[in-house]
Amino acid sequence: MADTTDNSSLPLLMSITAAVVAVAAGGWFLLNKEPTTPLPTEVPGLMAPEMEAAPAEEASIDVDAELRKARLAAEAEILVLPTSRSALHYYGRALKGDPSNAVANAELEAMLAKVAETVRQYLEAEEYADAYEIAVLVARVRPEHMLVIETSTILDQQTETLVMLAIQRAQDGKDDEAAAALAEAQTLPGRNPAYFDAVRSSIDEIRSVREAAERDREQRATLAMDEARSAWISSVRNAIQSGNLIAPAGASARDLLAETNSWESDREILTNELLVAMTEAAQAHLADRELGAAEAMLDAIACLLYTSPS
């Protein structure tokens, strides 16, 4: 039998879910967003985990020398890692010395096209940590590059998918699956810990609402069962008091007592009460020489004794 929908909890569930969705839409640090304050050692988002402090007064950069280093690194396939010897690092230095250098910009874009293909392969293989590490480094030099945006988008989409799954599982009462989905989302790189605190708080609220609704349903079910039991007991006793012991069909105490339910202790008590009333009725029929009625009542008594649990 299907449970009656408990509408009392729906508004709160909907508001909780809406709040979490709203946070999900803006809960991440964009890959190309510049911080307004100095970054801590570890900060979510596609930005450098540790920013190197620039010298107070850096000597002028030899752009040509940096380009030569970049080309050598690129030829050696040292494109991004290790960071301090990579083509990306040297191209970045060259462009720091001459941001409008057409050759440096063109070569960097060509090199990043190869890097982007590697990042795409990492993303397709769900090797998110490797893709993120590269995208962080590229974002230092080209925060608007497509591989940076693509990595950010895919990580955000994957995070939102897992968070929405966690919320749905929490609403369905599958708390272990909800926790597993949220834990998986937290393993994705560059996530904002404060966001997950908010999600976890919302899931706790969903669980509380769900458990309260379940308790309310149980209480209402128990109340309905008690009312049905009381009504059945009253119907049997009213039939006995009215003398409707074996007739009319369907409304007699005997037929009412035969209804299927789980109230066996009450059935035993009512059966004894009915047997007493039937015995008295049989005796009255015999005294009045109503032999047919007496015989029918005695047969009913025998049948009731035979079918009643011992």
Side-chain angles (χ1 to χ4, degrees):
M1 180 176 179
D3 288 341
T4 303
T5 302
D6 182 14
N7 293 323
S8 63
S9 64
L10 284 178
L12 182 52
L13 282 175
M14 292 174 66
S15 65
I16 291 171
T17 303
V20 173
V21 171
V23 175
W28 317 114
F29 290 88
L30 297 179
L31 305 184
N32 60 347
K33 182 177 179 181
E34 292 295 334
T36 56
T37 56
L39 292 174
T41 302
E42 296 182 359
V43 62
L46 201 89
M47 308 187 74
E50 295 185 2
M51 302 296 285
E52 298 176 359
E57 292 185 6
E58 185 174 6
S60 61
I61 297 173
D62 186 337
V63 175
D64 290 336
E66 298 300 330
L67 280 177
R68 284 194 298 273
K69 294 176 186 177
R71 289 163 186 158
L72 289 172
E75 289 175 6
E77 294 296 319
I78 306 174
L79 304 183
V80 178
L81 295 170
T83 308
S84 61
R85 295 188 291 110
S86 69
L88 178 66
H89 170 73
Y90 293 124
Y91 279 125
R93 284 186 54 79
L95 289 171
K96 186 174 182 180
D98 182 5
S100 62
N101 189 294
V103 173
N105 278 294
E107 291 182 6
L108 175 60
E109 288 303 315
M111 189 269 296
L112 287 180
K114 296 176 63 176
V115 176
E117 183 57 33
T118 299
V119 170
R120 191 168 294 110
Q121 291 173 2
Y122 282 143
L123 292 173
E124 290 174 355
E126 298 184 0
E127 297 174 1
Y128 298 122
D130 291 330
Y132 176 80
E133 182 181 16
I134 294 174
V136 164
L137 297 173
V138 173
R140 291 179 176 179
V141 180
R142 282 284 192 272
E144 76 285 357
H145 196 275
M146 183 54 63
L147 80 81
V148 176
I149 296 172
E150 182 178 1
T151 302
S152 175
T153 300
I154 289 177
L155 285 173
D156 286 353
Q157 289 174 345
Q158 182 67 7
T159 303
E160 184 175 353
T161 296
L162 289 168
V163 167
M164 292 301 101
L165 177 62
I167 291 172
Q168 184 60 57
R169 291 294 180 264
Q171 290 175 338
D172 294 339
K174 300 176 181 178
D175 294 329
D176 290 343
E177 294 182 21
L182 192 58
E184 183 178 351
Q186 287 183 275
T187 64
L188 296 173
R191 305 300 89 189
N192 185 344
Y195 171 72
F196 289 106
D197 290 341
V199 173
R200 192 172 292 103
S201 177
S202 293
I203 287 178
D204 288 342
E205 291 184 39
I206 290 172
R207 185 183 299 111
S208 297
V209 170
R210 189 195 71 230
E211 290 174 351
E214 289 172 355
R215 288 193 298 271
D216 182 62
R217 283 194 295 271
E218 290 174 358
Q219 291 171 354
R220 285 187 281 120
T222 299
L223 179 60
M225 185 68 72
D226 289 343
E227 292 176 347
R229 172 175 166 270
S230 179
W232 176 71
I233 293 172
S234 296
S235 67
V236 174
R237 283 187 172 145
N238 288 337
I240 293 173
Q241 292 170 3
S242 300
N244 299 328
L245 305 181
I246 59 176
S252 68
R254 179 180 59 181
D255 291 345
L256 294 171
L257 194 59
E259 290 182 0
T260 302
N261 56 51
S262 60
W263 306 310
E264 294 307 318
S265 60
D266 296 303
R267 190 186 311 280
E268 183 177 352
I269 294 172
L270 292 171
T271 297
N272 290 333
E273 292 179 10
L274 178 57
L275 284 171
V276 170
M278 292 170 72
T279 300
E280 292 174 350
Q283 291 173 342
H285 288 314
L286 287 173
D288 294 339
R289 293 187 167 283
E290 298 171 350
L291 300 182
E295 184 178 0
M297 191 62 68
L298 290 171
D299 288 342
I301 291 173
C303 183
L304 187 60
L305 289 171
Y306 178 78
T307 57
S308 297
S310 56

